[in-house]
Amino acid sequence: MLFVFGDSYADTGNTKIAETRSWKFPYGITFPGKPSGRFSDGFVSTDYIAGGLGMKTPIPYRWREQLSERVKDGLNIAYGGTGVFDTMVAEPNMTTQIDFLQQLLHDSVYTKRNLKTSVAFVSVAGNDYATYNAKNGSAQDFPAFMESLMNQLMVNLKRIHDMGVRKIGITSLLPLGCLPRNTAPFSFQHCDDTYNALVDLHNQLLPQVVNILNQQTNTSNSPSFFILDLYNAFWTVFNRNETYQGNDPTFEKPFEPCCFGVSGGFKCGNVDENGENKYTLCSDPRSKFFWDGVHPTEQGWYVVYKTPAFQNSLKQFYGLT
């Protein structure tokens, strides 16, 4: 079984249909051919993680009663836009997501025995930093904010383990300064180094959190907590250029998205009161690394998944080393 917690990089359809762009065209045009709540044109990280485990992609938590026969594969409890703490969206934060699994355990939908043979995938924290910036959080207070976030993340990951889950993989933070919404002011030519410096701080602290958790819970000499290396995977793709000799595709202008608002007030999927599209859409999403201002395309996720950096961390997580 696979249980998934976190944000839009992992969400496969939990967010509210009426309120989220992921349920609007052109999201989902590659897979399944219509919007499905995934924040991409097709597959997202969860689909590739599940495939690597030889599992079906777990159904979104919101469909657990309508598709009760699929609950045996696990559940995706990730919600787009959420974080460790509350963010700018009115969706359940990570603590509440874990509460949902706790309730299912209490209701005997799952047993402790089920969870002992399951794994968890966690993608979280990017929205916490975006929210901090959006609320004009000061540079002076930032170290204290990051420390509180790390402390809460440690509590959350320990809770998942205490419920019985024996393998928990959490992604490192990707270079957020390279997201199209942050490279747009530079004509999608280069990243925002200031933002990426914050990411580096987060990624320096995350291994300390994981090491402490593994020391606290290591009863059988095999670690339970693993970092999945999104950071170096993204940089691997960004650093490929015309001279790259490998088999994986390269992306011309990797910071330029396939789908983007026509001006600052609009985003991919937005229409005006007359139903006119207020976004531009590329002719082939497979030619682009990023789908919209924040999220990779299906092809982008695939190439990230196949990088040596990500594959090496997955092998440790899957227990193949």
Side-chain angles (χ1 to χ4, degrees):
M1 284 185 185
L2 174 61
F3 293 97
V4 182
F5 303 91
D7 54 27
S8 57
Y9 277 13
D11 185 1
T12 54
N14 276 317
T15 48
K16 298 181 186 81
I17 292 175
E19 296 174 17
T20 313
R21 286 179 299 118
S22 62
W23 287 102
K24 296 181 172 68
F25 183 85
Y27 287 80
I29 56 171
T30 301
F31 173 84
K34 61 182 181 182
S36 69
R38 285 174 173 81
F39 289 78
S40 185
D41 63 306
F43 282 0
V44 295
S45 63
T46 299
D47 299 294
Y48 291 112
I49 297 284
L53 287 164
M55 299 178 179
K56 291 179 179 173
T57 297
I59 59 165
Y61 174 78
R62 66 176 298 158
W63 305 121
R64 68 195 179 283
E65 290 172 1
Q66 295 91 328
L67 298 170
S68 56
E69 74 282 357
R70 290 281 311 278
V71 168
K72 67 183 186 304
D73 299 320
L75 274 180
N76 187 336
I77 318 179
Y79 284 76
T82 64
V84 174
F85 299 127
D86 288 342
T87 58
M88 310 295 274
V89 301
E91 298 284 9
N93 66 22
M94 189 181 176
T95 298
T96 307
Q97 292 172 23
I98 299 167
D99 290 343
F100 291 161
L101 182 58
Q102 190 92 54
Q103 187 62 44
L104 293 172
L105 202 57
H106 181 265
D107 295 341
S108 301
V109 174
Y110 297 110
T111 64
K112 199 107 173 176
R113 193 171 186 177
N114 291 148
L115 297 193
K116 279 192 188 306
T117 56
S118 67
V119 296
F121 169 52
V122 179
S123 165
V124 77
N127 291 316
D128 290 290
Y129 296 123
T131 300
Y132 186 83
N133 285 341
K135 291 183 173 177
N136 295 316
S138 71
Q140 183 183 343
D141 294 336
F142 185 76
F145 172 74
M146 186 176 275
E147 185 179 355
S148 65
L149 186 142
M150 287 294 171
N151 288 339
Q152 186 60 48
L153 183 58
M154 195 182 305
V155 169
N156 292 355
L157 294 172
K158 179 79 162 41
R159 274 187 73 200
I160 297 170
H161 182 272
D162 288 348
M163 277 190 258
V165 179
R166 282 295 164 263
K167 281 199 170 187
I168 300 156
I170 178 165
T171 58
S172 59
L173 213 51
L174 67 144
L176 297 173
C178 301
L179 298 180
R181 72 177 179 196
N182 296 325
T183 63
F186 311 114
S187 304
F188 306 116
Q189 295 299 309
H190 64 85
C191 304
D192 181 334
D193 294 337
T194 306
Y195 215 138
N196 281 346
L198 304 182
V199 171
D200 291 342
L201 274 175
H202 174 97
N203 288 338
Q204 285 165 22
L205 292 175
L206 188 62
Q208 297 174 29
V209 168
V210 165
N211 288 340
I212 291 167
L213 286 167
N214 279 326
Q215 286 166 10
Q216 288 178 349
T217 58
N218 198 352
T219 52
S220 58
N221 292 324
S222 59
S224 296
F225 300 89
F226 302 84
I227 294 173
L228 305 178
D229 194 0
L230 263 196
Y231 178 83
N232 284 305
F234 271 65
W235 273 121
T236 300
V237 179
F238 295 156
N239 288 332
R240 286 175 184 160
N241 56 30
E242 306 78 55
T243 61
Y244 173 67
Q245 299 295 310
N247 297 322
D248 294 311
T250 58
F251 300 94
E252 196 181 344
K253 298 182 181 173
F255 309 131
E256 187 175 277
C258 175
C259 185
F260 209 65
V262 294
S263 63
F266 297 103
K267 296 177 180 177
C268 179
N270 285 162
V271 295
D272 65 15
E273 60 275 10
N274 300 317
E276 292 288 320
N277 292 345
K278 305 305 286 185
Y279 58 88
T280 58
L281 184 64
C282 70
S283 58
D284 181 11
R286 289 172 302 179
S287 69
K288 295 290 187 183
F289 179 77
F290 280 109
W291 167 245
D292 61 12
V294 177
H295 309 95
T297 56
E298 174 178 298
Q299 181 76 347
W301 274 123
Y302 173 75
V303 174
V304 161
Y305 175 77
K306 296 291 280 184
T307 57
F310 204 65
Q311 282 294 312
N312 288 340
S313 56
L314 279 177
K315 283 175 187 168
Q316 294 172 23
F317 179 47
Y318 295 164
L320 299 176
T321 55

